[in-house]
Amino acid sequence: MQSENLTLTDTHNNMKKSALQKARANYQPKLPIALQGPVKVVEGRPTESVADQEAIRNLFPNTYGLPEIRFEKNSAPAPGKPINVGVILSGGQAPGGHNVISGLFDGIKKIHRDSRLFGFLMGPGGLVEHKYIELTAPIIDEYRNTGGFDIIGSGRTKLEKKEQFDKGLEILNELGIKALVIIGGDDSNTNAAILAEYYKEKNTGIQVIGCPKTIDGDLKNDVIETSFGFDTATKVYSEVIGNIQRDCNSAKKYWHFIKLMGRSASHIALECALQTQPNICLVSEEIEERNMSLNDIIDYIAGIVTSRAADGNNFGTVLIPEGLIEFIPEIKRLIAELNELLGANKDKVAGMNEEQLTEFILANLAPENVATLKNLPEGVARQLMLDRDPHGNVQVSLIETEKLISGMVAEKLAASEEFKAAGGKFSPLHHFFGYEGRCADPSNFDADYCYSLGFNAAALINAGVTGYMSSIRNLVKPAVQWIPGGIPITMMMNIERRNAEDKPVIQKALVRLDGKPFQKFASQRDTWAHNTCYIYPGPIQYFGPAEVCDQPSMTLKYEHENK
Ligand code: FBP
């Protein structure tokens, strides 16, 4: 099954390299001191899940309650045996994935030089479909310190059914693989835990280890300080936001509405705001908490635009998190009822044309939701009613929130006497930053963090554990002081309602309004709104002084300062 897959590496071998790529290939990622030589395993106390302990314990009888693990430097080298390991990249790309794989490769080779690494292609689907390549030293060397997931590709197939697990087991056994490393976000790591439990229950002898990935930054908790990729992606977006701010402060004639990726949580927008000090940054979690309506949001922005106009500043920047629309309580209610209504009447609506469907929806929705719908610009209301995904759900990600908001602000300002009296002019421009940062060359922080996560995953495999997430802590300190170890994935789980079923899942981390990053932002945002306090972070620097090149994100710093 392997031959058809060789194209992935063939293309890479023929690629020309930029000067930076060549120089960057020689970068040696920094490792925590504890991983630099032989390690000893220090076990902590047994763990409990964050909530719903009994339910999670019942669902994971073989992998629940395991202890946290920490690795410490050991004086005596332990003899290691060769081991075959499989690796999967799951979900959206995030800078540093290649370094997790190169760290894993170097880690298992350190255990024994005859160890082998197999990469399953295009995400979890590769395991089920038996598509893989062996990752040898020349391949790994091509990808060290590079962005992207192209070494083996990624995909969003969910590994959740027993048939998939059994199909996977066939190829793992065929290749003599004793451990599988799944690099993914909260859902993929939830599934890694389920797979670990299943393989343990079946006595397969196959270990499963997870690694925390996602630019969204929402896979973190008391024991996982950050997911990889967040640092680089937010630095790339902040560079470009800074450039836009310098442009708009030069021309003084445009308002820039900038939407930032992050399917649900607003960590990316918040971090970019801390780095660049825009005039406005919306935080979805706050909007939900304060029960703000769309009109409240429009009033808030129009108020700042008007006040800046009165000072002669007809320009500014507004950061908007991608997930915003689903957090606005009135729209959340509308979407929930639309999904419910159309789901329950699937057959009835299947044959309707647009006009009939609109009529049906307006006749059956609760009056408050009809009012919300009518308050929206026609195009957006149409999109909400008529564009559905294959499961029949509203496709929220297709809505161009930045245009929706600027359009409504423009309407409000056109009707405002105060804005006219201030001599205000409003010319909005729109941007969406997401893909621009997901495959950037990892910052030094992500290059080091990812390499350490992979190297540490090898140590977890050598320690014989399963159902653990690779964990590197103390990240605001220099890399040598980082603390490597492993966290039982069940420890991060609770039960949530998903697709009308109660499921064990890793708790998603949303922005905490009582957390320091938000508090810092909230304490300064009024000044940023009315004055022009832009910061221009410039591009990521890979070579140079540590204070320029090795700084972690501000979110991480604020969350962990004085700890
Ligand atoms: P993951 O959670 O899988 O890391 O993906 C995050 C993300 O980049 C989101 O920010 C974004 O909404 C989504 O992926 C887009 O994914 P796709 O390109 O597959 O549509």
Side-chain angles (χ1 to χ4, degrees):
M1 269 305 203
Q2 187 176 8
S3 55
E4 70 179 275
N5 307 320
L6 291 174
T7 47
L8 271 170
T9 44
D10 287 350
T11 42
H12 198 274
N13 288 336
N14 294 329
M15 249 159 50
K16 283 212 169 126
K17 292 197 177 75
S18 67
L20 179 63
Q21 268 179 299
K22 284 184 201 154
R24 193 66 182 154
N26 296 324
Y27 177 74
Q28 181 52 54
K30 303 184 244 340
L31 269 181
I33 199 130
L35 291 179
Q36 289 177 12
V39 296
K40 70 171 176 232
V41 180
V42 180
E43 276 191 11
R45 281 203 298 269
T47 57
E48 292 275 12
S49 60
V50 279
D52 309 306
Q53 289 82 8
E54 202 182 322
I56 306 283
R57 186 182 300 113
N58 290 339
L59 288 165
F60 295 89
N62 298 289
T63 50
Y64 186 85
L66 299 168
E68 270 186 47
I69 279 178
R70 208 176 62 239
F71 292 118
E72 286 182 3
K73 213 174 153 108
N74 203 357
S75 42
K81 286 207 277 284
I83 182 156
N84 288 3
V85 173
V87 64
I88 295 175
L89 290 163
S90 180
Q93 284 71 253
H98 290 161
N99 270 28
V100 180
I101 294 179
S102 58
L104 177 62
F105 180 84
D106 292 352
I108 60 170
K109 288 287 184 190
K110 188 188 121 189
I111 292 163
H112 197 285
R113 62 184 180 162
D114 293 335
S115 296
R116 296 168 72 188
L117 183 62
F118 296 89
F120 290 99
L121 300 182
M122 302 311 293
L127 176 72
V128 181
E129 292 156 21
H130 298 187
K131 294 188 173 160
Y132 66 91
I133 51 168
E134 179 166 1
L135 294 166
T136 54
I139 298 176
I140 294 285
D141 288 346
E142 286 288 311
Y143 289 88
R144 289 181 191 271
N145 309 310
T146 60
F149 279 5
D150 42 322
I151 186 169
I152 48 175
S154 185
R156 290 197 181 276
T157 303
K158 283 188 190 308
L159 265 191
E160 53 190 359
K161 299 197 187 96
K162 289 202 166 113
E163 308 83 77
Q164 295 173 309
F165 300 167
D166 290 335
K167 218 50 205 138
L169 187 56
E170 284 172 18
I171 190 70
L172 296 174
N173 283 336
E174 191 182 313
L175 297 171
I177 290 175
K178 288 284 167 228
L180 184 63
V181 176
I182 299 181
I183 303 170
D186 52 342
D187 281 347
S188 308
N189 275 284
T190 293
N191 292 337
I194 297 171
L195 187 63
E197 174 68 26
Y198 184 77
Y199 284 169
K200 185 91 191 262
E201 180 199 311
K202 293 232 144 193
N203 238 334
T204 61
I206 293 171
Q207 302 161 248
V208 182
I209 303 293
C211 282
K213 169 236 72 166
T214 177
I215 61 161
D216 291 4
D218 55 9
L219 172 47
K220 64 176 168 185
N221 46 50
D222 290 346
V223 283
I224 299 295
E225 294 183 1
T226 188
S227 56
F228 78 76
F230 175 77
D231 185 84
T232 310
T234 53
K235 281 175 177 153
V236 173
Y237 306 144
S238 296
E239 177 206 347
V240 187
I241 294 165
N243 295 349
I244 287 176
Q245 295 193 144
R246 199 139 218 176
D247 192 285
C248 90
N249 198 18
S250 306
K252 303 195 192 295
K253 61 178 180 180
Y254 294 123
W255 270 89
H256 292 267
F257 286 74
I258 304 166
K259 183 167 77 172
L260 291 156
M261 246 190 195
R263 191 189 293 278
S264 185
S266 310
H267 298 293
I268 292 181
L270 180 58
E271 169 68 21
C272 292
L274 291 167
Q275 287 193 36
T276 62
Q277 304 192 170
N279 300 103
I280 298 171
C281 172
L282 303 177
V283 174
S284 310
E285 291 83 343
E286 181 187 26
I287 283 161
E288 182 171 44
E289 172 74 22
R290 292 175 54 187
N291 203 12
M292 285 173 81
S293 66
L294 188 53
N295 280 336
D296 294 336
I297 298 170
I298 303 306
D299 282 347
Y300 170 68
I301 299 175
I304 292 172
V305 174
T306 303
S307 131
R308 286 181 64 80
D311 294 339
N313 295 324
N314 284 305
F315 66 93
T317 45
V318 184
L319 305 190
I320 301 168
E322 185 188 9
L324 174 73
I325 200 103
E326 284 183 280
F327 283 78
I328 302 173
E330 81 208 83
I331 298 189
K332 199 174 178 175
R333 284 193 294 272
L334 167 65
I335 292 172
E337 199 189 356
L338 273 173
N339 284 340
E340 194 77 19
L341 177 69
L342 297 175
N345 293 281
K346 238 186 233 148
D347 298 338
K348 197 167 181 178
V349 298
M352 290 183 181
N353 63 30
E354 278 189 26
E355 208 176 311
Q356 291 164 327
L357 186 55
T358 309
E359 217 171 279
F360 173 80
I361 290 172
L362 293 177
N364 287 286
L365 279 185
E368 61 152 11
N369 286 336
V370 173
T372 304
L373 207 50
K374 289 195 169 158
N375 184 37
L376 291 170
E378 210 184 306
V380 177
R382 216 179 142 273
Q383 230 173 347
L384 280 177
M385 286 192 287
L386 306 175
D387 288 347
R388 340 279 316 162
D389 72 10
H391 307 287
N393 292 325
V394 171
Q395 290 188 280
V396 185
S397 60
L398 294 184
I399 295 171
E400 293 176 301
T401 338
E402 66 283 23
K403 291 190 183 153
L404 161 71
I405 289 179
S406 83
M408 292 180 81
V409 169
E411 266 177 37
K412 178 128 254 157
L413 294 172
S416 159
E417 289 306 323
E418 196 189 342
F419 187 62
K420 255 181 241 155
K425 292 193 191 84
F426 182 64
S427 303
L429 292 175
H430 307 101
H431 315 265
F432 171 38
F433 298 145
Y435 298 100
E436 292 79 351
R438 284 204 320 188
C439 281
D441 279 348
S443 60
N444 284 355
F445 173 85
D446 269 329
D448 298 345
Y449 180 42
C450 291
Y451 186 79
S452 300
L453 282 171
F455 204 90
N456 184 60
L460 287 168
I461 293 167
N462 202 35
V465 298
T466 189
Y468 276 68
M469 193 182 289
S470 177
S471 143
I472 304 286
R473 290 153 86 170
N474 211 22
L475 292 172
V476 291
K477 294 278 163 35
V480 282
Q481 294 174 37
W482 290 352
I483 301 169
I487 308 293
I489 301 177
T490 52
M491 185 182 170
M492 303 166 209
M493 289 181 148
N494 68 166
I495 300 284
E496 286 176 23
R497 195 103 187 127
R498 299 270 171 98
N499 299 329
E501 267 183 80
D502 285 340
K503 294 217 159 149
V505 293
I506 295 177
Q507 262 186 352
K508 204 182 255 310
L510 298 178
V511 168
R512 291 182 57 151
L513 303 187
D514 61 352
K516 280 198 192 146
F518 179 80
Q519 296 283 320
K520 288 265 181 193
F521 159 73
S523 67
Q524 298 176 74
R525 65 176 149 190
D526 286 345
T527 312
W528 301 350
H530 301 289
N531 305 312
T532 300
C533 311
Y534 303 150
I535 291 182
Y536 314 115
I540 292 177
Q541 300 295 309
Y542 298 99
F543 305 101
E547 70 271 19
V548 179
C549 302
D550 294 349
Q551 294 305 311
S553 69
M554 299 183 89
T555 303
L556 196 59
K557 269 199 225 169
Y558 289 145
E559 279 174 347
H560 293 274
E561 70 185 359
N562 310 325
K563 269 198 180 170

